[in-house]
Amino acid sequence: MDFSELYLTYYSKLVRFAKEFVILEEDAENITQDVFTDLWAKRDSMDRIENMNAYLFRLIKNRCLDHLKHKMFEQKYIESVQTSFEIEMSLKLQSLNRFDVSDISEGNETEMLVRNAINSLPRKCRDIFLLSRVEGLKYREISERLGISVNTVECQMGIALKKLRVKLNICLAA
C-alpha cells in the first residue's frame, strides 16, 4: 500500500480514535497529522511494518498520551504562575491600601481633599482607580492583573470617577 492510499484509508479512523483520548477535534487532527508526517519521513522503512493497522493505532495512542501529559504539565505550570501572580498582586494591593491621608506632609489642601476622596472609595474601586491613574495601567492590563473582566474595570472606574466628582464638588463647594 503506498502512502497516499494509507493516508486515505486510515486518516479519519485515526482522528476518531485520537478524539477518544484528547476530546478536541483539532487536537486529534493535529496528532494524526503529526503521525503521518513522521511516517512520511520514514516511508522507506514502511515495508518492514508487519501490521500497519496496529502500528498506526499504537502510534496515535502514544501521541495522545504524550499530548495529555504535556497538557497536565502546562496546567500545573499555569497554576503555579497564577499562584505566584496572586501573591504578588496581594502584596502590591496591600501597599496600595496603605495609601492614606496620613502620608501627606503639611501643605496643599486640594491634594489632601483628593487623597481623602480616593481613600473614601470602596477598596476594589480604589485599587482599580490607583492602578489606572497612579501606575498608568490600561484597563486590559488591570483586568489581567486582577483577574477580572475589562468590563468590570470600566464599570469600577466609572463608579470611582463619579464618586470622586461628587465628593470633590461637595468639598470644594463648602
Side-chain angles (χ1 to χ4, degrees):
M1 182 180 295
D2 71 340
F3 186 82
S4 58
E5 194 177 329
L6 190 70
Y7 183 87
L8 292 172
T9 303
Y10 285 100
Y11 180 79
S12 59
K13 294 175 191 175
L14 293 172
V15 169
R16 278 193 308 276
F17 181 68
K19 197 170 174 220
E20 293 295 319
F21 288 94
V22 297
I23 310 300
L24 294 176
E25 181 90 23
E26 184 179 352
D27 289 340
E29 289 173 353
N30 287 337
I31 289 168
T32 305
Q33 288 290 350
D34 289 345
V35 165
F36 275 108
T37 301
D38 289 349
L39 193 61
W40 174 254
K42 300 173 187 172
R43 64 189 174 277
D44 294 336
S45 61
M46 279 182 14
D47 308 354
R48 290 184 238 143
I49 300 170
E50 291 180 28
N51 185 343
M52 185 59 74
N53 187 55
Y55 179 76
L56 288 173
F57 279 91
R58 189 174 347 107
L59 284 176
I60 292 292
K61 178 183 174 187
N62 290 339
R63 285 287 174 96
C64 288
L65 294 175
D66 289 345
H67 175 80
L68 293 172
K69 285 178 195 171
H70 182 72
K71 285 286 187 195
M72 283 177 33
F73 174 79
E74 278 180 344
Q75 186 60 38
K76 285 181 182 178
Y77 177 75
I78 288 169
E79 287 170 3
S80 73
V81 169
Q82 189 172 11
T83 301
S84 297
F85 177 75
E86 287 169 357
I87 291 169
E88 180 183 327
M89 277 312 303
S90 174
L91 293 172
K92 201 162 223 176
L93 288 175
Q94 285 174 6
S95 71
L96 285 176
N97 288 336
R98 289 189 196 115
F99 175 75
D100 198 2
V101 179
S102 61
D103 296 338
I104 301 174
S105 58
E106 296 291 326
N108 191 340
E109 189 176 323
T110 306
E111 184 179 342
M112 190 153 7
L113 289 173
V114 170
R115 289 188 188 221
N116 271 333
I118 292 171
N119 284 330
S120 73
L121 293 171
R123 192 179 125 277
K124 183 177 184 179
C125 205
R126 181 180 64 238
D127 293 343
I128 291 170
F129 178 82
L130 292 172
L131 287 170
S132 174
R133 297 303 198 255
V134 175
E135 290 196 28
L137 297 179
K138 293 179 167 67
Y139 289 179
R140 181 185 46 76
E141 294 169 321
I142 295 169
S143 77
E144 290 170 0
R145 188 179 275 194
L146 298 180
I148 58 177
S149 71
V150 174
N151 194 26
T152 301
V153 173
E154 290 171 355
C155 290
Q156 289 294 313
M157 278 301 292
I159 292 168
L161 294 171
K162 186 176 181 179
K163 286 185 178 207
L164 290 174
R165 266 188 229 107
V166 169
K167 182 111 174 151
L168 292 173
N169 281 336
I170 291 171
C171 291
L172 295 175

